[in-house]
Amino acid sequence: MITTNINKAITALTNEDIAAIPTETVYGLAGNIYSEIALNKIFTLKKRPFYNPLIVHLRSQEYLQEVALDVPQMAVRLAEAFWPGPLTLVLKKNPSISDLITAGKDTVAVRVPNHPLTLALLKELEFPLAAPSANPFGSVSPTTAEHVEFYFKNILEVILDGGACHRGIESTIIGFENNCPVLYRYGSISAEEIEKVIGNLNFKIKNEVNPNAPGMISKHYAPATKIYLTRNVPALVREFPGKKIGVLLFKNKIEDIPFLYQEILSPSEDLNEAAGNLYAALIRLDNLQLNLIIAELLPDKGLGKTINDRLGRAIK
Ligand code: TXA
Ligand code: MG
């Protein structure tokens, strides 16, 4: 049930139940990090494999030592630069953190989300929240309370409505290996912005055999409709005569396609705006019973890289 009443979320979470919560990136499916019951509910509801670890959400940086140990100086600088915000740090875990959260690893992923309702909620709770994105495993992440309800209708008792997610794409994930920073998942903060704070990053984006992040498993973030990617949408549209085609475009619409079947991510060519609109646009197109979706690849820089990464994983 969708609600704006924070007390309903407090009651559910305190009683080892789960609740959907808004963040600035996407909606999360949250539970008490110290409750095995709540953590198991998250995995069951999402149909998420246990090898996929969860992100811990803290109310502020001061609580970091509750979940992590030996935090490197570079991580502190990143936290100071970007928290609260869409940056997840992978750090050595505190022994009190459940193996369910970390998938048995010795590291834990953690961030401070930047959403007023969820920060208010975290301040009322005596424990941090573990929260994956609030979608069934493999599907497009939700950026509104209505998306969450569509996925978990009559199953999820509390969906805390904080409006449309301001960023619209998941957090960027950074870890540290041999004292060097590594980007594991492209996200709402561009690699360039992070490099301005700590210098050059290493990249470990794809590892399908032993994924460090589900964002690394290809065929993630996928709509049900078949999707094709191209830098020349009109040319590809002509290869499917007679088909009902939806198009996902960066800035310009195409004259001979019904307007209903077009999604323009940012008429002003703003990559931040495009990222914010991506998932909602994909979900709208996916609900139109189309034969296929053709998506335009964006410029490969800044958040364009993040958007292209997600589009690449949306291919079935
Ligand atoms: O923006 C976000 O990060 C959203 C909101 C709800 O905070 N959450 C999110 O969660 O995207 P989820 O579960 O969909 O993705 C979590 C990612 C996965 O790619 C997971 O593998 C990675 O975090 N992760 C978690 N713990 C990790 C660890 N110890 N080492 C490496 N990656 C980790
Ligand atoms: Mg997810």
Side-chain angles (χ1 to χ4, degrees):
M1 185 105 59
I2 293 179
T3 178
T4 51
N5 184 351
I6 195 175
N7 292 322
K8 291 203 171 146
I10 294 170
T11 305
L13 293 163
T14 309
N15 290 318
E16 301 192 278
D17 205 348
I18 55 180
I21 56 164
T23 82
E24 78 282 32
T25 59
V26 300
Y27 275 72
L29 200 56
N32 176 351
I33 64 163
Y34 300 118
S35 162
E36 299 276 309
I37 293 172
L39 296 174
N40 272 306
K41 281 185 190 166
I42 292 173
F43 282 94
T44 306
L45 195 60
K46 245 189 99 85
K47 299 196 171 67
R48 181 181 179 107
F50 285 106
Y51 62 72
N52 251 328
L54 306 176
I55 296 174
V56 171
H57 295 69
L58 299 178
R59 67 163 96 162
S60 78
Q61 194 185 333
E62 289 151 46
Y63 291 79
L64 198 49
Q65 62 273 21
E66 229 186 88
V67 298
L69 298 177
D70 306 337
V71 179
Q73 200 45 42
M74 263 190 235
V76 173
R77 276 176 24 225
L78 286 176
E80 276 164 7
F82 296 111
W83 283 356
L87 172 77
T88 293
L89 295 171
V90 174
L91 302 168
K92 195 166 157 191
K93 79 163 198 154
N94 185 306
S96 64
I97 300 299
S98 162
D99 279 342
L100 273 175
I101 292 177
T102 64
K105 293 167 181 289
D106 56 4
T107 53
V108 60
V110 56
R111 80 181 190 99
V112 179
N114 191 11
H115 191 290
L117 209 50
T118 289
L119 283 174
L121 173 65
L122 284 165
K123 286 188 182 119
E124 293 293 326
L125 297 172
E126 284 170 7
F127 45 82
L129 293 172
S133 52
N135 52 286
F137 184 67
S139 59
V140 181
S141 302
T143 57
T144 65
E146 289 74 21
H147 292 160
V148 181
E149 187 169 55
F150 171 77
Y151 284 136
F152 298 113
K153 206 167 175 62
N154 303 326
I155 302 178
L156 200 52
E157 274 178 36
V158 181
I159 301 172
L160 189 59
D161 189 354
C165 302
H166 176 65
R167 296 278 196 154
I169 268 186
E170 292 84 351
S171 59
T172 306
I173 303 182
I174 304 285
F176 302 88
E177 294 181 17
N178 306 317
N179 298 320
C180 295
V182 182
L183 187 146
Y184 294 129
R185 177 174 76 178
Y186 286 112
S188 280
I189 299 176
S190 68
E192 292 89 332
E193 283 175 271
I194 288 167
E195 288 185 329
K196 270 189 210 151
V197 180
I198 52 167
N200 285 351
L201 289 169
N202 295 309
F203 294 84
K204 279 203 183 171
I205 308 297
K206 255 199 165 100
N207 180 350
E208 286 160 46
V209 182
N210 180 18
N212 269 328
M216 292 183 171
I217 303 166
S218 51
K219 297 187 184 151
H220 212 75
Y221 312 101
T225 315
K226 193 164 174 60
I227 175 162
Y228 294 82
L229 310 183
T230 178
R231 294 201 186 269
N232 186 343
V233 175
L236 194 54
V237 167
R238 284 193 291 277
E239 290 182 26
F240 295 95
K243 296 283 187 201
K244 199 167 151 192
I245 301 173
V247 290
L248 184 75
L249 300 156
F250 182 28
K251 52 182 194 280
N252 297 318
K253 66 178 165 59
I254 297 179
E255 293 305 336
D256 46 359
I257 289 191
F259 189 67
L260 175 68
Y261 300 161
Q262 309 207 25
E263 289 286 347
I264 318 292
L265 293 179
S266 174
S268 61
E269 295 182 54
D270 176 342
L271 289 169
N272 284 301
E273 184 185 32
N277 289 328
L278 178 69
Y279 290 154
L282 270 177
I283 291 171
R284 277 194 297 273
L285 287 175
D286 204 22
N287 288 335
L288 290 175
Q289 316 293 333
L290 301 162
N291 296 123
L292 63 142
I293 296 169
I294 296 180
E296 179 177 18
L297 285 164
L298 270 68
D300 224 2
K301 59 169 200 289
L303 288 194
K305 273 212 175 88
T306 303
I307 295 169
N308 290 344
D309 169 90
R310 297 303 193 272
L311 288 174
R313 293 169 204 279
I315 300 171
K316 288 241 176 195

